[in-house]
Amino acid sequence: METAGIDAVVVPAGNAGVYFQDDISPPFRPNPNFAHWIPDDGTEHCVLVYRPGERPHLFFHRQADYWYLPAAVPDWVEEAFQVDVGADADALATSAIDLAARAGRVAYVGPWHGMHNDKRVAVNPKALLSHLQHARAYKTDFELDAMRHATDLGVLGHLAARTAYFDGASELDIHLSYLRASRQTDADLPYPNIVAQNDHAGVLHYQHRNPRPPSQRRSFLIDAGGRHLGYASDITRTYSAEPDAFAELVDAVDEKQRALIADIRPGVSYVDLHESMHRSIGELLARFGLVRCGADAAFDAGITDVFFPHGLGHLLGLQTHDVGGWIAAPDGQVSVPPQRYPALRLTRPVEARQVFTIEPGIYFIPQLLSAAKERYGREVAWSRIESFLPYGGVRIEDNVLVTANGVENLTRPAFRRLEQAAN
Ligand code: GLY
Ligand code: MN
Ligand code: MN
């Protein structure tokens, strides 16, 4: 705030709004800058005011209502904040700005709907937001506890989903097993589950849940997480129905993913990790006979981009794709990804207390393959590709914490522990 010349900050939780010409709302998700202070989804229309040296002030929205259960101020919030309760959301926002303005220059950090057209307020000033976004990457012990809990929820769901898959369940039934085991509703999830059988695994963010199992079961990719106190886990596993060549490919991607994680420590470059994974993907393409050229040639010619078209991973926290991945310094200096990898969400230096995902994949995506056919007609082994197309693809995703001199995988030990506990 000092660097940005700001004396007080107003942070609204925001509101979900209603669908057009309707009285139904999508699930509410608080502004993450607000959730950073008060990690609670029951805070729609609440507004926080922070002035350095003062107890933070919460304008809590609560209205008498017999259609919905009115929100209650959590006990810990009563203790930590100066709380004012009000029923009129606009009046609360105005009171918050009035209070902040007494301190001097005010920054408003959150969704701005223009209704408080107030000249005293700087709306989402970049100088402040860059600092906040940069800082969000370093997790406190409290945040790490929440993320470990979110990991356990996700892993419980994954274990149940795996059992459901091998019992022959449909995408829909696997999804329902996941929710039940992870004790979450759809609205609680950090992001919509990706529950993909067979070629659906080649749709990166596949969004449907087929209620019927496929007649032939080949592969299963599940990308699903947990959320606790607003903090996310983001986990992907892929399975082959049979011990076939695709099963070997899954194991090979898994091995490359683990090997790469072992190299992470403060000071390494995430862009280098991403590029090194592309080289590994080149190796696997060659090893599995998917290209006729060698591993290096597949990397150099850009063929690996066809099979691994997304980034290696992203920061993780209050948002699944957490902010600040390109912000290399608190002043907002941006580190853009190399031209070859525009989808890479994390380019800043790797430092202790960051949590991010490592999620390599190899996919057989008809759209990308047909676009590549002319360019790589000779280098790619097209008939071999045909045999993998019905499997869709592989992704293996873990969440890692960078420690003072290495890395801690948050995901794998949770699988081991919860698997053991279930047996
Ligand atoms: N589940 C979204 C992602 O892995 O980035
Ligand atoms: Mn994911
Ligand atoms: Mn991810």
Side-chain angles (χ1 to χ4, degrees):
M1 287 169 69
E2 204 171 300
T3 321
I6 297 292
D7 302 304
V9 180
V10 174
V11 189
N15 67 87
V18 290
Y19 296 117
F20 183 58
Q21 292 189 336
D22 204 337
D23 60 355
I24 306 283
S25 299
F28 173 66
R29 193 63 71 92
N31 163 15
N33 294 286
F34 180 93
H36 206 189
W37 286 80
I38 302 174
D40 190 322
D41 288 351
T43 50
E44 194 167 10
H45 296 295
C46 294
V47 187
L48 170 78
V49 174
Y50 173 65
R51 298 159 295 168
E54 308 264 339
R55 192 175 159 90
H57 202 117
L58 179 67
F59 291 87
F60 191 87
H61 183 252
R62 179 172 212 272
Q63 79 192 66
D65 191 344
Y66 51 83
W67 293 98
Y68 296 99
L69 185 70
V73 184
D75 288 345
W76 75 269
V77 170
E78 291 272 21
E79 285 163 28
F81 295 79
Q82 176 73 39
V83 180
D84 274 338
V85 179
D88 178 334
D90 277 348
L92 281 181
T94 304
S95 304
I97 293 173
D98 287 346
L99 174 68
R102 279 195 232 147
R105 292 154 301 180
V106 178
Y108 183 99
V109 178
W112 176 259
H113 304 297
M115 66 276 211
H116 314 291
N117 193 7
D118 195 320
K119 297 271 181 296
R120 297 170 295 176
V121 174
V123 179
N124 296 318
K126 192 168 172 294
L128 178 62
L129 260 65
S130 304
H131 279 265
L132 294 178
Q133 296 190 343
H134 183 264
R136 283 252 301 273
Y138 310 110
K139 269 47 184 190
T140 62
D141 289 344
F142 168 84
E143 291 179 297
L144 292 174
D145 279 350
M147 294 181 82
R148 288 179 203 282
H149 193 125
T151 301
D152 283 4
L153 296 181
V155 169
L156 288 168
H158 270 265
L159 294 174
R162 184 178 69 189
T163 302
Y165 174 66
F166 285 105
D167 284 348
S170 67
E171 291 171 350
L172 176 62
D173 283 317
I174 295 171
H175 174 67
L176 295 173
S177 301
Y178 182 97
L179 295 179
R180 171 178 282 273
S182 70
R183 310 298 296 158
Q184 300 181 102
T185 67
D186 266 295
D188 297 325
L189 296 172
Y191 56 91
N193 281 356
I194 298 165
V195 182
Q197 294 200 36
N198 296 350
D199 56 332
H200 295 157
V203 180
L204 298 181
H205 283 173
Y206 173 70
Q207 72 276 41
H208 302 293
R209 288 106 180 67
N210 191 333
R212 284 176 299 280
S215 52
Q216 189 166 355
R217 297 168 64 259
R218 294 187 174 91
S219 60
F220 170 46
L221 181 153
I222 174 164
D223 183 343
R227 202 162 65 95
H228 181 67
L229 295 174
Y231 289 84
S233 61
D234 177 8
I235 303 165
T236 310
R237 290 293 182 266
T238 309
Y239 306 97
S240 190
E242 302 293 336
D244 52 9
F246 184 74
E248 286 170 30
L249 185 65
V250 172
D251 288 346
V253 173
D254 191 89
E255 194 187 317
K256 293 289 186 196
Q257 191 255 22
R258 281 182 285 124
L260 189 84
I261 289 176
D263 284 343
I264 297 173
R265 62 190 180 284
V268 300
S269 145
Y270 198 88
V271 177
D272 288 351
L273 294 174
H274 176 76
E275 188 147 283
S276 146
M277 183 51 75
H278 264 272
R279 289 192 175 278
S280 297
I281 299 289
E283 248 178 72
L284 297 184
L285 294 178
R287 190 196 304 168
F288 282 81
L290 294 160
V291 291
R292 295 201 190 92
C293 58
D296 290 342
F299 170 77
D300 293 341
I303 295 173
T304 56
D305 306 14
V306 177
F307 295 90
F308 178 33
H310 60 72
L312 178 66
H314 49 86
L315 292 170
L316 182 68
L318 284 165
Q319 287 162 282
T320 302
H321 297 154
D322 219 11
V323 289
W326 287 13
I327 301 183
D331 66 3
Q333 182 199 321
V334 169
S335 165
V336 291
Q339 220 172 1
R340 177 167 171 183
Y341 310 117
L344 187 57
R345 294 175 190 269
L346 181 49
T347 55
R348 67 193 271 178
V350 168
E351 292 173 89
R353 287 199 171 267
Q354 292 173 345
V355 176
F356 48 72
T357 70
I358 296 290
E359 47 180 305
I362 293 186
Y363 309 90
F364 304 93
I365 304 174
Q367 181 190 338
L368 298 183
L369 291 166
S370 58
K373 202 144 201 174
E374 205 162 304
R375 187 153 175 213
Y376 304 120
R378 277 176 213 228
E379 293 90 339
V380 172
W382 295 102
S383 57
R384 179 81 169 148
I385 299 286
E386 287 293 323
S387 68
F388 279 89
L389 268 171
Y391 293 83
V394 185
R395 176 164 66 256
I396 305 289
E397 175 174 30
D398 287 344
N399 308 152
V400 304
L401 162 68
V402 185
T403 59
N405 44 24
V407 68
E408 180 188 338
N409 189 321
L410 298 177
T411 313
R412 301 227 178 209
F415 267 94
R416 283 193 289 271
R417 175 169 42 80
L418 293 170
E419 227 167 349
Q420 263 172 17
N423 290 330

